[in-house]
Amino acid sequence: PAGSAVLLATRRGQVVRCAEGRPPQTILRPRLLGALPGLGDDADISLALTSDGQRMVIRDGGTLRYHDQIRHVTQVRQWDHDTLTQPDKVAVSDDRYLVAVLAQTPTGDQQGIVFLPWPDSPGGEKDQAPSRALPTQAPQLFEGALIRDIAFQPGTHTLLVARSNGNVLRLEPDTAT
């Protein structure tokens, strides 16, 4: 499909997909209790979309939702990592076979990138427990300058990592270099 698409998230956790020439589509409904004090006033959401706008990863707290717009399928996985317990940003490769999650320790003193397979990709669902997101390799750990954002270089599995000191790093998931 030609055109472009974007994902938008509201404060109450609703996620909407807007595609050129189509009406907005709700991907994730708003939280019923999201507006009550102390019960998640603001959405803790990170969004990633393939360049064709057809596949997306939505991180909502400790939950990862893999949504395939073509097949109209959403698969849900809970974040489960021994040390990097606080997931933050997400990225998805254009071929949608690889997902990267930026996470940190509970104290925030260490950040890491964890690579995950898309659930129905080679090495994905068959190798994962049905409700947990399991990494394909050991995480790439970082200390010092904070990671501000992550994104896959278009058409590749190379992850670009922007750090607070102005450096941009390139990570190859197979070698994590």
Side-chain angles (χ1 to χ4, degrees):
S4 58
V6 295
L7 289 178
L8 307 169
T10 67
R11 288 187 63 188
R12 289 192 50 218
Q14 179 180 17
V15 176
V16 177
R17 178 181 179 268
C18 299
E20 187 176 343
R22 298 188 179 268
Q25 175 189 16
T26 297
I27 302 295
L28 185 61
R29 295 179 191 267
R31 295 186 184 114
L32 294 176
L33 301 176
L36 299 176
L39 292 177
D41 300 320
D42 291 322
D44 176 23
I45 291 180
S46 180
L47 309 171
L49 184 66
T50 56
S51 62
D52 66 2
Q54 299 301 312
R55 294 172 185 98
M56 57 209 76
V57 176
I58 302 165
R59 187 206 43 82
D60 183 8
T63 302
L64 297 173
R65 288 179 173 81
Y66 301 82
H67 181 75
D68 187 324
Q69 186 67 23
I70 296 169
R71 295 177 29 217
H72 301 286
V73 173
T74 300
Q75 298 179 56
V76 179
R77 301 287 185 269
Q78 293 302 311
W79 179 253
D80 186 17
H81 196 278
D82 292 339
T83 57
L84 300 171
T85 59
Q86 310 295 314
D88 187 8
K89 301 194 177 354
V90 293
V92 60
S93 64
D94 280 343
D95 65 5
R96 71 98 168 112
Y97 288 132
L98 195 59
V99 174
V101 179
L102 169 62
Q104 65 183 17
T105 58
T107 58
D109 61 336
Q110 192 170 52
Q111 291 181 300
I113 305 282
V114 178
F115 291 101
L116 305 169
W118 188 272
D120 64 359
S121 68
E125 186 155 298
K126 295 178 190 80
D127 298 336
Q128 292 191 35
S131 62
R132 294 175 49 208
L134 299 175
T136 59
Q137 63 187 48
Q140 174 70 39
L141 300 176
F142 294 87
E143 293 178 358
L146 295 176
I147 297 173
R148 296 294 186 196
D149 211 351
I150 59 174
F152 281 98
Q153 185 174 333
T156 73
H157 286 175
T158 300
L159 186 72
L160 302 176
V161 179
R163 299 193 72 185
S164 62
N165 61 3
N167 289 341
V168 176
L169 306 176
R170 292 171 44 130
L171 289 181
E172 300 293 337
D174 296 331
T175 59
T177 58

